[in-house]
Amino acid sequence: MKKILVYPDEILRTRAEPVKEIDGRLQNLIDEMAETMYKAKGVGLAANQVGVLKRLFVMDVSQDEKGGRGELIVLINPEIVGSEGHELMEEGCLSVPDFSAKLKRPAKICVKALDREGKEVELEGGGLFARCVLHELDHLDGICFVDRLSPIKKALFRKRWQKIRAEKLAQG
Ligand code: ZN
């Protein structure tokens, strides 16, 4: 289990470096990230969120509501090679607990990356899949979804976030 960094940690604001070698150590990190994501009941987790500045993330958008695992997707050095349309969708983040907001992003995407074994993969899809890839890719560029909110929504978020954090501290 890895500790998930909470917004606005400096590492969440830093661009991650490309992965140069996929070895046992990196695969261990990937496995730990997957465990951490499932345990936190998230659909995606980027390396920045566990304090590692490497361009990779894990996701599983096919888990059921009871926490049953679907298909784990591992994307290393991901790159968007195509996108289509726009969609407004509710988004949340393991690094911004207890907050969600609607955000407009491309509706359909095609992403190229390496998988856990270093094999080249190209995946295409819309809905939650596209949303998750774009959200996690943002993390690798040092961007959190709340950074993309309009100025008004961002101001509301800041207020709400202060309250959420204060309540959390009071709970210990
Ligand atoms: Zn996130």
Side-chain angles (χ1 to χ4, degrees):
M1 260 299 268
K2 291 269 185 190
K3 190 175 169 273
I4 299 173
L5 299 180
V6 172
Y7 183 89
D9 193 287
E10 198 49 45
I11 294 178
L12 294 172
R13 309 193 145 275
T14 309
R15 195 182 151 85
E17 294 292 323
V19 171
K20 290 199 184 91
E21 199 187 339
I22 299 169
D23 54 13
R25 255 186 85 189
L26 192 86
Q27 288 173 333
N28 278 343
L29 168 71
I30 290 167
D31 298 342
E32 265 192 285
M33 281 171 58
E35 280 312 305
T36 305
M37 175 188 76
Y38 284 121
K39 200 124 196 183
K41 296 186 164 54
V43 291
L45 186 69
N48 304 48
Q49 291 177 280
V50 294
V52 178
L53 287 171
K54 285 188 175 153
R55 298 187 76 79
L56 72 100
F57 60 80
V58 295
M59 60 187 262
D60 183 345
V61 291
S62 53
Q63 304 168 69
D64 64 38
E65 274 162 24
K66 289 177 189 134
R69 295 177 185 194
E71 188 201 353
L72 178 71
I73 298 173
V74 177
L75 295 180
I76 301 169
N77 296 340
E79 233 181 287
I80 299 291
V81 290
S83 72
E84 221 181 272
H86 282 98
E87 198 174 1
L88 195 65
M89 201 190 256
E90 190 91 12
E91 251 177 79
C93 178
L94 291 175
S95 293
V96 191
D98 305 318
F99 180 83
S100 66
K102 277 187 177 158
L103 211 60
K104 199 171 166 185
R105 293 191 192 260
K108 232 183 116 183
I109 56 123
C110 182
V111 61
K112 220 169 91 177
L114 299 174
D115 70 6
R116 190 182 174 279
E117 320 309 323
K119 204 179 87 201
E120 235 184 75
V121 289
E122 205 173 295
L123 303 173
E124 209 184 288
L128 187 58
F129 167 82
R131 185 54 55 136
C132 192
V133 168
L134 293 165
H135 177 111
E136 301 310 329
L137 199 56
D138 264 358
H139 275 307
L140 303 183
D141 290 329
I143 299 164
C144 198
F145 83 104
V146 292
D147 300 328
R148 289 196 180 273
L149 296 175
S150 68
I152 292 170
K153 277 192 177 169
K154 213 182 273 178
L156 285 171
F157 160 70
R158 284 210 189 93
K159 255 193 197 158
R160 225 170 106 51
W161 188 236
Q162 267 182 357
K163 219 180 135 211
I164 290 169
R165 295 313 292 161
E167 277 167 9
K168 206 106 195 165
L169 281 175
Q171 284 166 12

